[in-house]
């Protein structure tokens, strides 16, 4: 139905990425401003990339997609920002996320597992953020838009957040998340996944 998320994953080349490839890329990884990982490559390789980045003081943003019920606990401790959607949150914690309160419960549980900052994306409802510093769950709403195709909205959000972390590191986290919500909501108003991502020039310039 319109506005609902349906995703087919064809891993292909992603699963061929291995530790040797990481070694070759270690220079780039350790000099980056932000490293984003998720689970479309072998989870052990993803975790190693997070560890390399983390050890070099690089900001790490982890999106457990597609989610695994038995995620290696080290993913929680090596992610500066742990960002999941409602479905992923439920797979990881067993808690179905139907509202903000549920998202807050998930957030608390993930902080207990060693996360520093958790963002649970809630589709049209925006996000819930919670951190070690601010353990009271905070709702960051998204603007109301007419969703045409929501595939790729999560990646659009994560990509935007990585951009703000790299280029505007002094922005308060809530502001980064609010701006990332705006960019993701632009992406759901067009069809397709990559094809729906806006260019900087086509976005409201107050986002930058």
């Amino acid at each position: 139905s319109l506005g609902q998320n349906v995703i087919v994953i064809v891993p292909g080349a992603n699963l061929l990425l291995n530790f040797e490839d990481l070694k070759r890329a270690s220079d780039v990884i350790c000099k980056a401003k932000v490293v984003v990982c998720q689970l479309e490559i072998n989870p052990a390789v993803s975790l190693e990339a997070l560890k390399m980045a983390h050890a070099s003081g690089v900001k790490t943003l982890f999106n457990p997609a597609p989610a695994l019920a038995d995620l290696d606990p080290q993913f929680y401790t090596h992610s500066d920002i742990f960002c999941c959607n409602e479905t992923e949150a439920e797979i990881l914690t067993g808690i179905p996320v139907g509202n903000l309160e549920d998202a807050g419960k998930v957030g608390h549980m993930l902080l207990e597992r060693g996360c520093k900052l958790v963002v649970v994306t809630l589709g049209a409802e925006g996000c819930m953020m919670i951190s070690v510093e601010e353990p009271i769950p905070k709702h960051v709403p998204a603007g109301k838009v007419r969703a045409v195709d929501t595939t790729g909205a999560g990646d659009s959000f994560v990509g935007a957040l990585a951009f703000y972390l790299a280029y505007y590191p002094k922005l308060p986290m809530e502001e980064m998340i609010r701006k990332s919500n705006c960019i993701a909501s632009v992406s759901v108003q067009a069809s397709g996944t990559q094809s729906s991502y806006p260019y900087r020039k086509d976005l409201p310039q107050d986002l930058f």
Side-chain angles (χ1 to χ4, degrees), residues 83-161:
C83 178
C84 56
N85 66 17
E86 301 114 310
T87 315
E88 292 148 7
E90 181 176 353
I91 292 169
L92 294 166
T93 64
I95 299 171
V97 179
N99 55 36
L100 270 170
E101 200 183 334
D102 298 337
K105 282 184 199 145
V106 163
H108 273 294
M109 193 182 273
L110 295 176
L111 290 185
E112 280 167 17
R113 290 182 188 176
C115 291
K116 291 171 209 57
L117 188 145
V118 177
V119 179
V120 180
T121 58
L122 304 162
E125 294 305 309
C127 300
M128 183 285 312
M129 65 181 279
I130 186 168
S131 66
V132 174
E133 282 80 36
E134 294 189 34
I136 293 163
K138 188 176 262 185
H139 182 212
V140 186
K144 289 279 168 273
V145 296
R146 183 179 145 70
V148 173
D149 180 355
T150 60
T151 45
D155 289 339
S156 174
F157 176 84
V158 168
L161 188 52

